[in-house]
Amino acid sequence: MKKKSVIAVFENDALNRFIYQRMLALQEEKVESYIFTSAEEGLEVAKHVSFDIAFIDLHFQGMHKGIEVARKLKTVSDKTILVGMTTLIQKGDTELTTAEGFVACLEKPLPFYDVDKLFSDIGR
């Protein structure tokens, strides 16, 4: 049996969190998921749980604060694959996220209903 992927989602929007929770519940055999409303909560959990992938809203808790979350997460767990997400990719977002160690920057909402396709899209 294949090991479940452990994913973290840092998302501001309550509706997106609800949608992601519902989608990920359908993928329980493939993923163990954590959805966070605060950076502090997510970083505390990261001390005890090794995330394979972290999906971070670039505007999490403020303009480009998702970048700060990623920087802090890397100090706790340097093996976590970082994926940026935003409602609308703007000029410079891809370059910014790549420079900060993200493997991709994707537009929301993410298709968590098909994690195999999502993971293949980001090269995982």
Side-chain angles (χ1 to χ4, degrees):
M1 185 168 157
K2 186 177 175 185
K3 177 188 167 281
K4 288 183 181 183
S5 294
V6 180
I7 66 169
V9 179
F10 292 81
E11 173 61 64
N12 274 334
D13 186 75
L15 180 58
N16 280 341
R17 284 193 308 271
F18 175 76
I19 292 168
Y20 294 157
Q21 287 170 339
R22 297 293 299 260
M23 285 184 203
L24 289 164
L26 299 173
Q27 303 287 311
E28 284 182 330
E29 72 283 352
K30 296 178 183 179
V31 296
E32 177 181 338
S33 61
Y34 297 84
I35 300 178
F36 301 109
T37 59
S38 79
E40 294 77 20
E41 176 190 16
L43 294 169
E44 187 60 34
V45 171
K47 293 176 184 176
H48 310 286
V49 176
S50 179
F51 303 135
D52 295 312
I53 303 174
F55 294 91
I56 303 172
D57 180 353
L58 296 182
H59 301 271
F60 187 68
Q61 299 180 326
M63 184 62 122
H64 291 291
K65 297 258 176 137
I67 299 295
E68 291 176 30
V69 172
R71 288 176 183 155
K72 291 177 182 175
L73 185 59
K74 285 191 286 189
T75 67
V76 175
S77 176
D78 64 347
K79 294 183 184 187
T80 301
I81 296 169
L82 303 173
V83 178
M85 55 183 187
T86 184
T87 303
L88 179 64
I89 295 176
Q90 298 179 24
K91 184 177 181 178
D93 283 346
T94 301
E95 294 80 7
L96 173 66
T97 54
T98 300
E100 291 292 338
F102 288 79
V103 299
C105 184
L106 307 174
E107 286 188 350
K108 298 188 296 183
L110 299 184
F112 284 117
Y113 58 85
D114 187 352
V115 293
D116 291 331
K117 180 175 178 349
L118 177 59
F119 290 171
S120 73
D121 288 350
I122 61 171
R124 168 93 166 62

